[in-house]
Amino acid sequence: MRRYILILICLFTIVDLSAQQRWAVGGVVCNSEREAVVGAVVTIKELSNRGEITNAKGEYALALESGRYTFVVTAVGYRTANLEVDVNSDRVVDVVLTADDIRIRQVDISATSSRAKLESVQIGVEAVSIETISMTPALFGENDIIKSIVLLPGVKSEGDGSTGFQVRGGTSSQNLILLDDVPIYNSGHVLGIFSVFNDDAIASADLYKGQIPATFGGASSSILDIQSKGGDMHDFSAGVDVGVLSAKVQVDVPIVEDKLSFFGSMRRSYFDLFLRMTNDFSGNSMHFYDINGKLSYKINEDNILSLSYFRGEDKMGLEDMMDMSWGNNSVALRYFHRYNSALNSTTSLINSDYGTDNGIDIADIYLSFDGYIKNKGLKHNFTYQPNERHTLQVGLQSTFVDLQSAEWQYNDALMSEQRYGLESAVWVNEQWRISPLVDLSVGLRLNNFLALGGSPYYTLDESGAIETTTNYAKGEVVANYLQLEPRASVNFHLTDFQSIKTGYSRSSQNIHALRSSSMSLPFDRYAMSSNLVEPQVSDQFALGVISLTRDQAYEFSVEGYYKSIDNVYDYRDGTAFNTAIELETLLLGGEGRAYGVEMSAKRNLGKLTGWVAYTLSWVDSRIEGINGGEWYTASNDRRHDLSVVAMWQINDAWHASANFVYNTGQALTAPSAKYEIEGDTYYYYAERNGYRAPSYHRLDVSFTHSKRRRRTIREWNFGFYNIYNHYNPYMIYFEDDAQEPSGTTTIQYSLYGIIPSVTYGIKF
Amino acid sequence: MKRLLVIFSIFALWGCEKQIDINYRSIEPLYVIEGNVCAAGSQIIVTQTRDMDDAQGSVGVDDAWVVVSDSLGVEYEFVSVGGGVYEPREPMVVMDNSDYELLVEVGDERFWATSRVYSQPYVTPLNLTQQTFMDVMTMVFCSFSIYEQPDQADYYRYRLTVNSTDSNWVLVSDLGVVNNMLFLFQPLIKKENDELVDVVDGDTIKLEVQTIDKYVYDYFNSLDLSADNGSNPISNIEGGCLGYFSAHTISTAISYLDFADVN
């Protein structure tokens, strides 16, 4: 009770507990590639291990009286650093951590991330541990960040055959995935086997599913912020992994010791190489690849420049008759500059190009359908941390978007729809330690979207038919949307091991993806906000409790949320992506709401680690013209979602892991009656999503054997995806069947049964 | 789209199909109208929806009052010939560039629709080509062109018939029209099972092209998509029934297969 009274006093009187003469000591914890280490724990040995968790930029700040202290810095995947520090004035103490050998598994994988989660003022943030990714079971022997984050509470997979994920009732098209600040679209390789993110090339990843910091925008559901890995400044290393479907190589090159480094990785599938060995299929292609490269240049301690490149592409082709390809191409130039110990800035120039290119050339017919999204932008963010209690971030961002929703060619007939837009934002975010018991983060993002001329814009009648067409001059403003997006969250530290968090977030989205199927294929179309399409705007409230045991071996958390989204768009009944080139004529707008509670229990220490995550949730939609304009269960509604993840370090050589997932079946629109047209049977649908598909569940297991030799580490991984071979629903359809008494059967189509895999890797 | 997804899934070699049970909920039956008006013969069919587990075939409604009128005000009464099929009592004159109205009254319910007959386009003779895929499958394609009348809506349904084996109706709109010409091609595939038609020299290949209005096109387009979307097709009939009313022209072309002439 006394503690709660203290919290209230702190809230209303803002007691300054650091009024004694103390020195501000802070700095950045980074790895040898000068990348920030997020969630590192900086403790002072002489002060009963009192400490601080590094923020998203790897920064920490302490207030210490004069004296000599031992700083103990720990972080997952790094060797613990011990530093003797004399404090007799304000000073900067940067810490460089040396990477532990990730091939030799860590057991204590999550204690620091649990502590970081408890300390963080943000609610609904999941720092995705790369080490955890590497320890969860792998499909086709390949660890994948997207396959791992769907095991977190509140995050669901879109289904087999997809790398799309759904966060708190949002759809996959309402997520924004950033790789070094560059948006990545359609992030799955073919059939959703892998995402385009090679885990070897990832340094860190944060999923913002609740309160999104003001420095981010452009997504109404969640943001997955991925930072690519940079090269080692000191040591050369390389690695090769050969799996059932793909192989990958990586290389770390310190070009100039402690100055200039390069990291590169490449992964390619070789299914097509098997095809080429056959007589019948030698002319066909089916492969994907991705390439990551990063050049890091440490000009000096205060100026760091990096240039990162990513290319991911999928190709499928049937001889010279059919060809499909799609992929992302992105470049980011980032400059970090520290003005003084309190002020630094990060500037990013980005360029991205996502495109699809599909063609059919049979007999005398040539068909093609293409599309692209091109972004060119600047992001500039200042971070000002005058003392350990305040962190102020101010910044701006501007991106020019060139979007071709489709270009179709049918022999000599060519049609396309292309739009231009300019999205800009300014933000301010203050993270304020009001007292040792209360942390507050308040932010405001002002987002502006301009739909620009240079292509036709329309007005429509109620049926969606075009009434008028206007050709605006290039650069002329057609529509202007200004969104004020407040973000706020508070962390009440009840004890050193318990906290209550609450938060509110508003965010908007101006690029709307219209999914054609959940499978990773190039048939999605994209619309930008315009005179007809308004920005999606979501509001989310969340309240949660997190608790650690004293030894931090266990973490328990409960978080509830309510989210509403305006201007959600989907295809009108009776239309599809290829019904008309004018995408807006195919769309209907509406609203959505989602609410639920997420619970998780996590074991952080010991030979056996892992977690249990359960989400109870509801998701509804209302779109005029669908279901009589009434609320209906959204297709991504899954009432119960359970994930159980276990990782067992059997001994120094062997490691085993398993995950079990269970979802309530997807909401399903099933027919209520049947009738005949021209002698064929068709179905009448009385209610949208009124039925449920069978539930989804599967168990994956994998075993890894690692062996260190003098200069190399080799690793064998044996995996079984869906080990009890349960066929989960991917698609359900209805068809005539004269053998059935009713004349109708319901067919469930499933993608994957059990899939065994083996991967061999060597690192030197 | 569904077929395409299945093809890709088969490519992956791991797909599996199985039958599942769903407890369907019953609804009150709805009326279904299929209305076709054309110079070659007009017919209105009135049936009702059935429960999903109803083993009985289509049940016709024979007590409806059915009238079709043209833009000159001439009314044609349609009479039941059994099985829910209605045919004009008097021979019906169907004129190009004319609107036709349908009125159906059954019980306390009343349904009405309008459809326009456009001018008949010129359809070129059929051209046959064949192509071999992956050295394992040879397909015969039939190509032709439709020369449209200027300044008129351009929506069509066409189908091929090899001897007496029908293929599916195919819908086309103006998306591929260049200089009033629409070039089309189609493989010879059976409607009943989507398999290739086995063709030999001397087979008769018939093309039938319906020139339809936009609302009829929208209906059949949405009917094709209804199973994928879980949505009902967009009917051009008012009053709350299912089905369509189409007044249209029909063009035909016939070719006799001779592999010596097939490219």
Side-chain angles (χ1 to χ4, degrees):
Chain A
M1 189 62 188
R2 198 173 150 207
R3 184 170 293 277
Y4 298 103
I5 293 170
L6 189 57
I7 289 172
L8 290 174
I9 292 170
C10 293
L11 267 177
F12 290 103
T13 61
I14 313 174
V15 176
D16 187 353
L17 297 178
S18 61
Q20 302 171 43
Q21 177 56 52
R22 293 186 174 187
W23 305 111
V25 181
V28 176
V29 178
C30 61
N31 60 22
S32 55
E33 293 99 50
R34 307 303 297 180
E35 292 160 341
V37 176
V38 183
V41 181
V42 183
T43 53
I44 309 300
K45 197 173 177 181
E46 290 78 8
L47 298 177
S48 303
N49 287 325
R50 184 186 137 205
E52 185 76 11
I53 307 293
T54 57
N55 63 16
K57 303 293 181 189
E59 298 156 341
Y60 74 97
L62 296 164
L64 298 172
E65 295 176 24
S66 297
R68 186 177 178 82
Y69 298 96
T70 306
F71 282 40
V72 181
V73 184
T74 58
V76 174
Y78 295 93
R79 292 182 188 140
T80 300
N82 291 278
L83 294 86
E84 298 294 323
V85 179
D86 287 321
V87 175
N88 44 33
S89 64
D90 290 344
R91 62 173 297 183
V92 175
V93 180
D94 290 341
V95 183
V96 179
L97 296 179
T98 306
D100 223 335
D101 194 339
I102 62 166
R103 296 285 176 165
I104 301 299
R105 305 289 170 174
Q106 298 289 309
V107 179
D108 301 344
I109 61 157
S110 303
T112 52
S113 62
S114 285
R115 169 54 66 179
K117 190 173 171 183
L118 182 95
E119 297 286 343
S120 167
V121 65
Q122 307 281 347
I123 187 169
V125 183
E126 300 281 356
V128 186
S129 157
I130 305 307
E131 284 67 37
T132 304
I133 292 171
S134 70
M135 295 170 79
T136 52
L139 176 60
F140 295 109
E142 187 80 14
N143 295 115
D144 195 294
I145 186 170
I146 305 290
K147 303 288 184 191
S148 295
I149 67 170
V150 299
L151 300 172
L152 298 170
V155 188
K156 291 189 265 286
S157 167
E158 207 169 32
D160 285 343
S162 170
T163 53
F165 58 95
Q166 299 166 344
V167 178
R168 290 188 171 174
T171 65
S172 62
S173 59
Q174 292 163 343
N175 303 324
L176 176 63
I177 301 178
L178 298 171
L179 178 63
D180 292 332
D181 292 328
V182 186
I184 301 295
Y185 303 95
N186 193 0
S187 60
H189 284 306
V190 68
L191 298 172
I193 295 170
F194 306 131
S195 77
V196 296
F197 304 110
N198 178 349
D199 64 314
D200 283 345
I202 299 173
S204 68
D206 290 298
L207 176 68
Y208 298 98
K209 60 183 184 180
Q211 199 246 355
I212 299 172
T215 49
F216 293 105
S220 58
S221 185
S222 79
I223 288 182
L224 178 60
D225 180 31
I226 300 173
Q227 301 298 321
S228 71
K229 191 176 173 184
D232 195 304
M233 290 284 184
H234 304 284
D235 299 317
F236 172 85
S237 67
V240 178
D241 289 272
V242 180
V244 178
L245 279 187
S246 63
K248 57 185 181 181
V249 295
Q250 65 168 89
V251 61
D252 259 326
V253 185
I255 300 169
V256 179
E257 172 82 12
D258 205 30
K259 275 288 182 190
L260 182 64
S261 71
F262 172 75
F263 172 83
S265 69
M266 181 177 178
R267 174 172 61 169
R268 189 193 191 281
S269 69
Y270 37 71
F271 190 64
D272 55 325
L273 302 182
F274 296 126
L275 291 178
R276 281 179 202 168
M277 293 177 195
T278 65
N279 291 328
D280 293 339
F281 302 102
S282 58
N284 304 312
S285 64
M286 183 179 181
H287 73 269
F288 65 80
Y289 68 87
D290 43 60
I291 300 169
N292 293 78
K294 192 167 187 177
L295 202 59
S296 305
Y297 177 42
K298 189 172 82 173
I299 302 166
N300 53 43
E301 291 297 333
D302 296 326
N303 295 280
I304 299 170
L305 198 61
S306 69
L307 178 68
S308 57
Y309 172 76
F310 167 72
R311 169 81 183 154
E313 187 175 27
D314 285 68
K315 277 179 173 287
M316 298 175 70
L318 290 175
E319 296 181 333
D320 55 356
M321 291 174 288
M322 191 274 281
D323 181 52
M324 289 169 53
S325 67
W326 67 97
N328 286 278
N329 212 350
S330 76
V331 180
L333 179 66
R334 187 182 285 184
Y335 173 55
F336 171 83
H337 176 64
R338 180 160 43 210
Y339 298 90
N340 53 50
S341 62
L343 180 65
N344 65 63
S345 69
T346 305
T347 309
S348 299
L349 287 170
I350 63 126
N351 184 69
S352 75
D353 183 357
Y354 167 74
T356 63
D357 183 3
N358 311 292
I360 296 173
D361 189 356
I362 297 176
D364 297 323
I365 293 290
Y366 175 71
L367 285 167
S368 72
F369 42 106
D370 310 331
Y372 62 73
I373 308 174
K374 296 177 180 176
N375 290 290
K376 288 180 172 55
L378 163 74
K379 183 176 181 179
H380 190 53
N381 185 69
F382 288 98
T383 302
Y384 178 57
Q385 195 170 21
N387 54 50
E388 66 170 348
R389 297 194 301 123
H390 292 278
T391 304
L392 180 71
Q393 288 187 296
V394 180
L396 59 88
Q397 183 172 14
S398 189
T399 305
F400 178 75
V401 186
D402 175 2
L403 187 151
Q404 186 185 66
S405 82
E407 180 178 271
W408 298 337
Q409 185 169 1
Y410 181 89
N411 285 352
D412 295 332
L414 179 68
M415 62 203 80
S416 74
E417 181 178 65
Q418 184 183 7
R419 293 281 172 84
Y420 301 102
L422 181 66
E423 183 160 26
S424 305
V426 292
W427 60 82
V428 57
N429 198 96
E430 160 72 353
Q431 197 163 311
W432 180 16
R433 170 150 287 193
I434 297 174
S435 78
L437 303 179
V438 183
D439 283 322
L440 172 70
S441 173
V442 286
L444 195 60
R445 184 181 177 93
L446 182 65
N447 204 79
N448 176 241
F449 182 82
L450 302 176
L452 300 175
S455 58
Y457 284 80
Y458 315 103
T459 60
L460 307 178
D461 66 17
E462 284 187 359
S463 70
I466 294 172
E467 282 186 328
T468 62
T469 301
T470 306
N471 285 293
Y472 292 89
K474 199 164 186 176
E476 190 176 351
V477 176
V478 179
N480 185 346
Y481 295 103
L482 197 62
Q483 293 289 337
L484 200 56
E485 302 174 11
R487 320 268 172 91
S489 60
V490 185
N491 186 347
F492 301 98
H493 302 275
L494 302 180
T495 69
D496 284 347
F497 300 98
Q498 279 127 15
S499 70
I500 293 178
K501 298 184 189 184
T502 185
Y504 163 76
S505 179
R506 166 173 283 200
S507 54
S508 65
Q509 180 173 336
N510 286 292
I511 294 181
H512 312 257
L514 283 305
R515 305 295 310 275
S516 295
S517 87
S518 63
M519 190 176 273
S520 297
L521 288 171
F523 302 118
D524 298 343
R525 289 183 68 180
Y526 295 84
M528 277 198 293
S529 297
S530 67
N531 59 320
L532 296 171
V533 174
E534 295 183 48
Q536 280 185 33
V537 179
S538 73
D539 293 278
Q540 183 179 167
F541 296 90
L543 174 66
V545 179
I546 178 169
S547 176
L548 303 185
T549 54
R550 284 202 164 268
D551 60 357
Q552 302 186 40
Y554 293 92
E555 172 202 317
F556 303 94
S557 67
V558 179
E559 208 166 289
Y561 63 91
Y562 179 89
K563 179 160 67 178
S564 64
I565 305 182
D566 288 334
N567 303 320
V568 178
Y569 290 91
D570 205 347
Y571 288 113
R572 290 171 182 268
D573 282 355
T575 64
F577 74 99
N578 57 351
T579 302
I581 192 77
E582 301 89 357
L583 185 55
E584 288 154 333
T585 66
L586 310 178
L587 304 182
L588 277 177
E591 58 184 328
R593 66 185 178 200
Y595 47 97
V597 59
E598 301 162 358
M599 290 169 259
S600 72
K602 199 170 181 182
R603 179 181 161 85
N604 295 320
L605 303 176
K607 283 184 176 292
L608 180 65
T609 58
W611 67 88
V612 177
Y614 169 73
T615 305
L616 175 67
S617 62
W618 288 260
V619 190
D620 301 317
S621 298
R622 182 164 66 182
I623 295 178
E624 210 56 52
I626 295 177
N627 207 48
E630 299 297 317
W631 284 101
Y632 59 91
T633 303
S635 58
N636 58 327
D637 178 276
R638 305 276 182 99
R639 189 72 65 246
H640 306 283
D641 176 27
L642 175 72
S643 303
V644 182
V645 179
M647 291 161 282
W648 182 27
Q649 187 71 51
I650 301 169
N651 53 41
D652 286 347
W654 281 97
H655 177 267
S657 62
N659 60 252
F660 172 76
V661 291
Y662 171 88
N663 299 144
T664 303
Q666 192 164 344
L668 172 71
T669 301
S672 301
K674 57 188 176 184
Y675 60 98
E676 280 71 34
I677 293 289
E678 296 183 333
D680 294 327
T681 302
Y682 291 91
Y683 302 101
Y684 175 72
Y685 302 92
E687 53 186 334
R688 179 61 67 101
N689 294 332
Y691 292 78
R692 286 276 170 189
S695 57
Y696 180 104
H697 55 92
R698 67 163 213 274
L699 174 67
D700 312 328
V701 298
S702 75
F703 301 91
T704 305
H705 183 267
S706 305
K707 188 166 185 179
R708 183 191 289 270
R709 295 183 176 171
R710 182 179 298 175
R711 291 190 159 189
T712 61
I713 301 165
R714 70 115 178 93
E715 187 174 274
W716 283 97
N717 177 277
F718 306 93
F720 296 91
Y721 178 87
N722 193 6
I723 193 167
Y724 57 84
N725 196 35
H726 177 73
Y727 282 102
N728 286 298
Y730 171 70
M731 186 164 51
I732 290 174
Y733 56 96
F734 313 89
E735 63 182 23
D736 287 353
D737 187 346
Q739 307 298 319
E740 286 295 310
S742 64
T744 307
T745 56
T746 308
I747 304 293
Q748 171 188 301
Y749 185 80
S750 305
L751 277 184
Y752 303 131
I754 182 173
I755 301 176
S757 65
V758 58
T759 304
Y760 176 76
I762 186 165
K763 193 169 187 180
F764 48 89
Chain B
M1 173 57 74
K2 188 173 72 181
R3 283 185 194 147
L4 192 61
L5 293 179
V6 171
I7 288 169
F8 285 125
S9 307
I10 290 169
F11 225 115
L13 304 175
W14 300 288
C16 167
E17 277 187 350
K18 70 176 181 183
Q19 193 172 328
I20 60 171
D21 294 323
I22 288 184
N23 293 320
Y24 296 104
R25 295 185 279 272
S26 294
I27 59 164
E28 285 295 311
L30 295 165
Y31 288 105
V32 182
I33 296 174
E34 289 180 77
N36 285 288
V37 167
C38 64
S42 300
Q43 190 180 66
I44 310 296
I45 302 173
V46 184
T47 56
Q48 283 190 297
T49 59
R50 298 174 287 128
D51 284 348
M52 288 296 290
D53 54 3
D54 186 341
Q56 210 177 0
S58 176
V59 178
V61 176
D62 293 318
D63 58 349
W65 186 65
V66 179
V67 172
V68 174
S69 53
D70 64 21
S71 48
L72 299 175
V74 179
E75 289 191 349
Y76 299 91
E77 185 183 351
F78 280 58
V79 294
S80 172
V81 295
V85 177
Y86 294 79
E87 292 180 348
R89 186 184 296 276
E90 303 293 336
M92 190 173 175
V93 178
V94 178
M95 300 171 293
D96 288 1
N97 300 311
S98 182
D99 293 331
Y100 286 81
E101 290 182 8
L102 169 71
L103 177 63
V104 175
E105 291 184 356
V106 53
D108 297 332
E109 301 198 61
R110 180 183 168 93
F111 310 107
W112 66 99
T114 302
S115 183
R116 182 170 182 79
V117 179
Y118 287 99
S119 301
Q120 196 166 343
Y122 169 69
V123 178
T124 62
L126 303 180
N127 181 43
L128 299 174
T129 56
Q130 63 179 340
Q131 186 147 4
T132 301
F133 295 84
M134 295 178 276
D135 295 328
V136 294
M137 181 174 68
T138 299
M139 294 177 77
V140 176
F141 291 90
C142 189
S143 59
F144 58 96
S145 296
I146 298 173
Y147 284 88
E148 300 183 336
Q149 302 290 336
D151 305 323
Q152 78 167 39
D154 27 33
Y155 299 93
Y156 307 95
R157 294 178 82 206
Y158 70 87
R159 83 174 160 187
L160 295 164
T161 303
V162 182
N163 301 326
S164 59
T165 303
D166 289 336
S167 64
N168 277 305
W169 284 101
V170 178
L171 269 179
V172 286
S173 67
D174 57 354
L175 289 179
V177 172
V178 177
N179 297 327
N180 292 326
M181 189 200 80
L182 182 61
F183 179 76
L184 297 164
F185 87 126
Q186 188 68 21
L188 299 178
I189 293 177
K190 296 176 193 170
K191 174 185 175 181
E192 58 178 312
N193 55 11
D194 286 342
E195 291 182 357
L196 293 178
V197 180
D198 295 322
V199 287
V200 294
D201 277 348
D203 281 346
T204 304
I205 300 173
K206 179 185 173 188
L207 169 71
E208 188 179 350
V209 179
Q210 293 182 357
T211 305
I212 56 178
D213 70 22
K214 179 183 184 305
Y215 301 102
V216 177
Y217 172 87
D218 287 343
Y219 174 77
F220 282 107
N221 187 44
S222 56
L223 185 69
D224 286 346
L225 293 167
S226 65
D228 292 345
N229 294 350
S231 60
N232 298 309
I234 305 162
S235 177
N236 64 341
I237 304 177
E238 304 285 335
C241 71
L242 304 174
Y244 67 95
F245 173 58
S246 173
H248 54 259
T249 61
I250 296 177
S251 309
T252 58
I254 291 179
S255 181
Y256 299 97
L257 184 63
D258 181 355
F259 273 105
D261 295 335
V262 175
N263 300 316

